[in-house]
Amino acid sequence: MSALEQNLDKLNGYLAAFKATGIPNRIAGNDTAGGGGVFQSTSPIDKSVICDVAHGTAGDIDTAAKAAADAFPEWRNMPATQRRKILIKVAEGIEARAEEIALCECWDTGQAYRFMSKAALRGAENFRYFADQVVQARDGQHLKSPTLMNVTSRVPIGPVGVITPWNTPFMLSTWKIAPALASGCTVVHKPAESSPLTARLLIEIAEQAGLPPGVLNAVNGFGEEAGKALCEHPLIKAIAFVGESRTGSLITKQGADTLKRNHLELGGKNPVIVFDDADLERALDAVIFMIYSINGERCTSSSRLLVQDTIQQEFEARLIERVKNIKVGHPLDPATEVGPLINEEHYNKVTSYFKIAKEDNATIAAGGEPIGDQGYFVQPTLFTNANNQMRVAREEIFGPVLTSIPFTTEEQALSIANDTNYGLTGYVWTNDLTRALRFTDALEAGMIWVNSENVRHLPTPFGGVKSSGIGRDGGDWSFEFYMEQKHIGFATGQHKITRLGAQ
Ligand code: NAD
């Protein structure tokens, strides 16, 4: 049996449970049907139906929010060391089922196994990392004044909503849910309708690890219905959201009446800037990796290449050769580098840019065509002869599609890089140290890597500026979001209290 056949064989075993029972909602430790009946989840690999999924409604969100509110006092008050033990067990449970998670994720999303096997383990790492911070998460400061001993502490904000997208759903869910639980919050999770499988596995693993019923609840369904109801629910104190910038704006509006605290991780049109003094071998590898890995369905992807005109010809020639060589195929084949796009709507969006590029007079230097009609496969694509005013340089395509734009001077590169509504990441390739310092100082992005691809280090702040988001995750920044600061002032003596109404 080939590696692909072996993976398919294992996957069929894992999918049997989903096919038998579908994916119900999970509320207060119980499987519950969706108020709207069911919808079907399909695989982008061959468009086949995977299973029925509960179609959650505002009523289901209400039940889940009440369950999360009921479970909150016990979870908040549980000794930190005990909560820590449960979260570590969740991490162990994820590790034990990492292969199942990865294979189901590939089948559900079209992402290649080589990346999803790592993403599953990263999910475990997220739980381990935040579990290790549990004990000190509530610690505060003491800020002595002449008359008072002021102390601060942090308390969990309450039940929170987590709304996640479909691009790497398991990893992103853990990225939000792990710090929320570590903070002492309870959670209602609304997974993306296009990729519901691994959210179900996560809740199974969490409950088996000893998470009390109601601490983590999952309601499946659509954004404009279940997602909206979650944002509007008065018992939900905050929304951690990952998705499109347009949806981020809706999340803010929907939460206005209940004064929701929102953390928004949104889209990007991230530049990678290659100067002619850079290590061009490494730059080439990183440029390719950061747009063609994870099917280009990656918020931090470097979708705009700004290349210095002195090296443009040679760099683009080598890029074209490599892009044409990228292995598109079945996501469960370990050799596959790019799999199919998530669904028909997204496939139509990505392929529409092939036409838009031509209309704008960019050159399609590689790819630019769909592949077959069995699933939502497209060729890895490179546009050259482009400028930053073209739609392919301004709009988030969210597929394996790169737009290359030349520049002459550092000032020009900076101005092109910043001429975008987005500001999530930037990648700078130069061996000139002072230029790197100057350039990164002026580049408008939440996260910048110099002479490196995106290498995530969990204690560092993750998030964007401009239309790429509000707020930061990672390290203590996550606790800042899921917790409230509390100040208590203790009088240390008999300081004078101004007397009103006294003779
Ligand atoms: P999306 O915004 O369409 O959907 C994300 C989630 O929001 C889904 O669960 C969806 O059901 C829900 N939703 C949709 N409308 C809603 C509403 N009105 N109220 C509440 N919830 C609603 O995004 P997507 O297409 O699933 O994901 C791709 C996008 O996510 C891209 O723009 C990508 O850049 C972004 N993303 C950002 C990050 C980051 O960290 N900045 C990471 C991954 C993906």
Side-chain angles (χ1 to χ4, degrees):
M1 260 207 261
S2 68
L4 169 60
E5 285 164 341
Q6 281 175 33
N7 278 343
L8 277 169
D9 197 44
K10 285 182 204 159
L11 174 77
N12 284 332
Y14 296 137
L15 288 183
F18 286 115
K19 288 194 185 295
T21 58
I23 304 180
N25 292 330
R26 187 81 180 166
I27 301 175
N30 297 309
D31 285 342
T32 60
V38 294
F39 67 96
Q40 287 186 322
S41 179
T42 55
S43 173
I45 302 172
D46 61 2
K47 307 183 187 175
S48 64
V49 173
I50 304 175
C51 65
D52 287 344
V53 183
H55 177 158
T57 58
D60 299 319
I61 289 290
D62 184 50
T63 313
K66 285 176 178 151
D70 288 346
F72 177 59
E74 185 197 332
W75 182 244
R76 176 192 56 199
N77 296 337
M78 185 184 279
T81 47
Q82 205 176 327
R83 266 189 295 125
R84 178 177 180 276
K85 265 189 207 154
I86 295 175
L87 297 181
I88 297 277
K89 275 199 181 162
V90 178
E92 288 166 358
I94 293 172
E95 281 155 0
R97 291 174 73 177
E99 183 185 61
E100 176 184 3
I101 294 165
L103 290 173
C104 290
E105 191 92 308
C106 295
W107 191 250
D108 210 13
T109 63
Q111 296 289 3
Y113 185 70
R114 62 164 62 205
F115 300 118
M116 288 310 100
S117 53
K118 293 195 186 89
L121 293 173
R122 168 64 201 287
E125 206 184 319
N126 288 338
F127 268 92
R128 254 180 222 290
Y129 175 79
F130 287 108
D132 282 341
Q133 325 282 320
V134 162
V135 176
Q136 65 269 33
R138 293 191 184 169
D139 290 353
Q141 301 181 25
H142 78 265
L143 304 159
K144 198 171 174 304
S145 72
T147 55
L148 294 171
M149 175 62 77
N150 296 286
V151 297
T152 71
S153 69
R154 281 197 301 202
V155 291
I157 190 168
V160 299
V162 170
I163 303 178
T164 45
W166 44 255
N167 56 332
T168 46
F170 186 80
M171 197 289 286
L172 286 169
S173 302
T174 60
W175 177 232
K176 299 286 162 185
I177 291 170
L181 297 180
S183 300
C185 296
T186 52
V187 174
V188 177
H189 181 202
K190 208 300 281 169
E193 51 269 44
S194 295
S195 59
L197 261 59
T198 54
R200 173 67 185 184
L201 297 180
L202 177 62
I203 205 161
E204 266 178 34
I205 291 168
E207 288 181 5
Q208 278 162 11
L211 201 71
V215 171
L216 173 60
N217 307 276
V219 176
N220 290 284
F222 299 90
E224 55 277 16
E225 191 179 9
K228 180 169 180 283
L230 188 57
C231 298
E232 291 172 346
H233 204 287
L235 289 176
I236 298 295
K237 300 301 171 201
I239 296 285
F241 172 76
V242 185
E244 280 190 39
S245 300
R246 221 179 23 232
T247 319
S249 154
L250 287 174
I251 300 282
T252 308
K253 287 184 192 131
Q254 292 163 178
D257 284 347
T258 51
L259 296 175
K260 210 69 96 214
R261 178 186 291 185
N262 295 311
H263 183 180
L264 307 175
E265 286 185 14
L266 310 175
K269 192 73 188 176
N270 310 300
V272 50
I273 302 104
V274 182
F275 288 97
D276 60 7
D277 61 11
D279 179 335
L280 297 182
E281 283 299 324
R282 289 178 61 78
L284 185 68
D285 286 345
V287 165
I288 294 168
F289 176 76
M290 278 314 304
I291 182 66
Y292 299 107
S293 61
I294 317 206
N295 297 347
E297 295 167 323
R298 180 175 193 158
C299 56
T300 55
S301 72
S302 55
S303 49
R304 285 186 299 152
L305 164 64
L306 313 189
V307 57
Q308 198 152 21
D309 51 10
T310 40
I311 52 161
Q312 179 196 359
Q313 215 178 356
E314 186 202 336
F315 198 81
E316 284 182 348
R318 298 185 60 198
L319 190 55
I320 292 166
E321 194 187 325
R322 288 273 293 274
V323 175
K324 286 183 173 169
N325 215 18
I326 289 175
K327 191 170 181 325
V328 182
H330 197 297
L332 266 56
D333 181 343
T336 291
E337 293 173 321
V338 169
L341 300 171
I342 183 76
N343 56 30
E344 185 173 8
E345 189 190 349
H346 189 55
Y347 169 87
N348 289 339
K349 174 184 160 178
V350 172
T351 52
S352 76
Y353 283 97
F354 301 158
K355 195 161 151 259
I356 290 167
K358 281 185 203 150
E359 284 165 5
D360 282 354
N361 290 324
T363 301
I364 300 182
E369 297 287 340
I371 303 176
D373 59 3
Q374 294 259 298
Y376 303 114
F377 292 87
V378 299
Q379 292 177 337
T381 296
L382 172 67
F383 302 132
T384 55
N385 287 321
N387 64 56
N388 204 47
Q389 299 317 309
M390 291 180 181
R391 284 183 63 191
V392 291
R394 303 204 78 77
E395 296 170 17
E396 186 186 42
I397 300 175
F398 216 57
V401 180
L402 175 63
T403 301
S404 176
I405 301 166
F407 70 87
T408 305
T409 63
E410 183 186 318
E411 293 69 30
Q412 216 182 354
L414 183 66
S415 137
I416 298 171
N418 285 343
D419 179 15
T420 172
N421 291 333
Y422 295 104
L424 190 60
T425 61
Y427 306 88
V428 184
W429 286 85
T430 179
N431 274 323
D432 179 336
L433 178 62
T434 48
R435 169 192 277 157
L437 287 167
R438 206 168 42 235
F439 202 90
T440 52
D441 190 44
L443 191 58
E444 295 165 0
M447 298 168 282
I448 303 170
W449 282 267
V450 178
N451 297 334
S452 175
E453 81 284 31
N454 166 355
V455 182
R456 186 80 192 104
H457 180 51
L458 296 184
T460 59
F462 186 101
V465 301
K466 294 154 83 175
S467 296
S468 290
I470 299 175
R472 293 291 179 274
D473 261 331
D476 201 56
W477 286 277
S478 297
F479 291 109
E480 279 293 300
F481 178 70
Y482 294 107
M483 300 181 93
E484 292 279 22
Q485 289 283 348
K486 188 184 262 188
H487 159 249
I488 309 152
F490 297 91
T492 49
Q494 303 277 314
H495 65 269
K496 185 168 182 293
I497 301 176
T498 304
R499 301 185 74 217
L500 302 183
Q503 294 306 318

